[in-house]
Amino acid sequence: MRVKILSMQRVVNYGSFLQAYALKQLIESAGHSASFCDFRNGEPRHNGMKVRKANLFQKIRNLRNLAINPATYFKRKRFSREMRNIFQQYAARYLGLRKKMDYDYNTDLMIVGSDEVFNYAQNHAFGYVPVLFGHGIHAASIIAYAASAGYTSVDDVLNDNMQQEISTGLARFDAIGVRDENTFEIVTRYSDRNPVYVLDPTLLYDFRKETTDAPLASGYVLIYAYSGRFESTVDVSKVIAFAHARNLRVVSIGFYNSWCDENVVLSPLELLSVFKNASFVITDTFHGTIFSIKNHKQFVTVVQGETGWGSNSSKLGFLLKQLQLEHRINQNLDNLETHLPTPIDYQEVDAIVDRLRKKSLHFLFDSIKQAEIKSGDKYGDTQENDLAYHAKFYPSLDT
């Protein structure tokens, strides 16, 4: 079949790239052609603070920061420019993206996801994008895989009067796989579909053949956190004290954090070895948490409390709950010195991941198989055992 993926693959973010790459590889392992299509930004439909633009005070503060420390400002700008350049190269090479956007939604199977494809209320330029909810897609089958609503809540949908829009869109999906409880509740409340919990593609795909040699010398605490999240003097001093007491450098990748010993721009695939060789990891991101777990790192994840813009707790909290790793959550870095080195029982974690991985692969390949049947393009006997079907196209799945 011709399969298209509608996701966040053009976002300059390691996690966005790697989840898109992993999903593409999984689909192609089942013998199909997979490519990406794009979406046009929509208009805001959320009435709360989550789409609030910077006010005059914030703009003045940014100008003040530039005046006080122009060197840091220009370093940050250069860092962002280098990130964009390397992502454009890798997106073309590994994802097959072209400079010209692809808005053709005619295909045999459209897979929406993964990433925050159902997050119409978040504070960025996307706004509400109807096609992400199934509107305007001309495909024989539509499924969502590891979709997340991010900061958008059940109450947001009600308060924004989006029930009908969401409901009629989700009704067009043949199957919906979600990666967190918040999204599960939205789909259940505002559609007649029965969502299934699945893992992010980066937890399904192996990546061993893509992992390169270490681009950094060993001996570092890895900071994988959005710029500005760890800016307080107290937090910075705790991280630096922890690292330097162990003769470790503090390295930031993916985001510019001026207080770190090194801010490094690398390719998305080089990120894999950066996590693999880190001594410790401090993160506040979904994929930073996943790659810490995949590489059996001692890590902590900083989960924000609720603000006017929402919280990262819905996706991060649920992921860590799923894997019985809630004890790695930090609300702040007060207990970093004792918490970060605390050993994690990865034998237990791996057993949970393996069980959830098999369930997720079953969902993905079952959905693809049903799309094949629907389009009249079958592979073998449709009554064959599901596990045998999966093993045929994904031999590493233990039957």
Side-chain angles (χ1 to χ4, degrees):
M1 293 188 300
R2 291 181 307 118
V3 181
K4 284 199 167 185
I5 304 169
L6 190 56
S7 187
M8 307 290 185
Q9 67 276 357
R10 291 190 188 268
V11 175
V12 181
N13 176 282
Y14 290 120
S16 297
F17 177 96
L18 291 168
Q19 62 83 16
Y21 177 80
L23 184 57
K24 185 176 189 292
Q25 294 299 307
L26 289 166
I27 294 166
E28 291 180 344
S29 76
H32 303 289
S33 166
S35 62
F36 293 90
C37 53
D38 300 291
F39 58 86
R40 294 178 174 88
N41 295 348
E43 294 297 322
R45 296 286 292 273
H46 175 59
N47 297 313
M49 292 176 61
K50 297 174 187 178
V51 293
R52 187 177 66 176
K53 296 180 179 179
N55 56 32
L56 180 60
F57 173 77
Q58 290 169 318
K59 292 178 180 178
I60 293 173
R61 185 180 63 185
N62 291 338
L63 290 173
R64 179 176 176 271
N65 291 338
L66 168 59
I68 292 174
N69 199 340
T72 297
Y73 174 84
F74 288 111
K75 285 179 182 178
R76 193 185 304 274
K77 286 288 187 182
R78 184 171 66 249
F79 184 93
S80 298
R81 184 171 60 252
E82 291 175 357
M83 284 281 291
R84 282 196 304 273
N85 290 339
I86 200 165
F87 265 78
Q88 287 174 358
Q89 297 170 25
Y90 267 69
R93 181 179 175 185
Y94 288 92
L95 301 183
L97 302 186
R98 300 177 180 178
K99 289 185 178 180
K100 184 180 179 180
M101 297 290 193
D102 180 0
Y103 299 119
D104 180 6
Y105 305 129
N106 292 279
T107 187
D108 297 320
L109 169 62
M110 178 70 78
I111 299 182
V112 179
S114 57
D115 223 323
E116 295 186 21
V117 288
F118 291 167
N119 190 0
Y120 77 87
Q122 65 178 319
N123 185 30
H124 61 27
F126 292 163
Y128 165 62
V129 181
V131 72
L132 294 177
F133 290 86
H135 298 288
I137 294 176
H138 306 290
S141 298
I142 308 172
I143 69 173
Y145 186 80
S148 175
Y151 295 163
T152 301
S153 69
V154 169
D155 290 339
D156 287 333
V157 176
L158 180 64
N159 295 335
D160 296 334
N161 196 28
M162 288 288 287
Q163 308 98 299
Q164 185 67 21
E165 187 78 11
I166 300 298
S167 178
T168 56
L170 295 180
R172 304 196 66 235
F173 285 75
D174 296 272
I176 299 178
V178 300
R179 73 181 192 190
D180 56 66
E181 188 174 23
N182 176 55
T183 311
F184 186 96
E185 291 177 354
I186 289 175
V187 174
T188 302
R189 178 81 64 89
Y190 298 113
S191 81
D192 60 358
R193 294 294 178 261
N194 296 314
V196 175
Y197 285 118
V198 294
L199 293 178
D200 187 82
T202 55
L203 276 168
L204 305 187
Y205 188 68
D206 196 297
F207 287 108
R208 271 183 292 189
K209 66 182 177 65
E210 288 87 357
T211 304
T212 62
D213 293 334
L216 298 177
S218 61
Y220 55 89
V221 174
L222 177 60
I223 305 297
Y224 191 72
Y226 289 106
S227 301
R229 292 282 177 86
F230 299 151
E231 288 288 321
S232 75
T233 304
V234 174
D235 285 345
V236 169
S237 63
K238 286 175 182 173
V239 175
I240 292 175
F242 177 91
H244 291 182
R246 293 162 176 79
N247 295 316
L248 301 173
R249 310 185 318 281
V250 183
V251 174
S252 177
I253 186 168
F255 310 94
Y256 189 86
N257 289 282
S258 60
W259 52 272
C260 291
D261 296 319
E262 299 175 36
N263 282 273
V264 184
V265 175
L266 297 171
S267 74
L269 298 181
E270 287 175 318
L271 175 79
L272 305 173
S273 60
V274 171
F275 271 89
K276 181 179 179 180
N277 291 286
S279 299
F280 300 94
V281 180
I282 301 172
T283 186
D284 68 349
T285 77
F286 183 79
H287 287 104
T289 301
I290 284 178
F291 282 100
S292 297
I293 293 167
K294 285 178 72 76
N295 288 283
H296 290 187
K297 295 290 109 175
Q298 302 304 111
F299 75 97
V300 294
T301 297
V302 178
V303 176
Q304 300 168 291
E306 189 70 31
T307 70
W309 288 271
S311 168
N312 63 357
S313 63
S314 61
K315 59 181 182 180
L316 274 175
F318 184 76
L319 172 68
L320 291 166
K321 178 182 177 181
Q322 262 189 320
L323 305 184
Q324 297 183 18
L325 285 170
E326 301 104 311
H327 56 90
R328 305 315 294 185
I329 293 176
N330 271 218
Q331 297 296 333
N332 50 52
L333 300 178
D334 284 349
N335 60 346
L336 184 69
E337 182 64 37
T338 55
H339 190 191
L340 186 52
T342 304
I344 298 171
D345 182 357
Y346 273 111
Q347 184 173 358
E348 180 180 337
V349 174
D350 287 345
I352 297 171
V353 170
D354 185 60
R355 174 174 53 81
L356 295 175
R357 174 178 171 271
K358 288 179 179 178
K359 177 184 175 183
S360 301
L361 286 168
H362 288 183
F363 171 86
L364 178 61
F365 289 127
D366 282 346
S367 299
I368 291 174
K369 183 170 70 170
Q370 293 306 314
E372 291 170 354
I373 295 170
K374 192 173 181 180
S375 68
D377 183 13
K378 306 177 187 178
Y379 286 89
D381 183 359
T382 59
Q383 300 301 315
E384 67 183 319
N385 179 271
D386 284 344
L387 283 176
Y389 174 86
H390 298 148
K392 181 196 300 184
F393 294 122
Y394 202 81
S396 63
L397 179 61
D398 181 10
T399 60

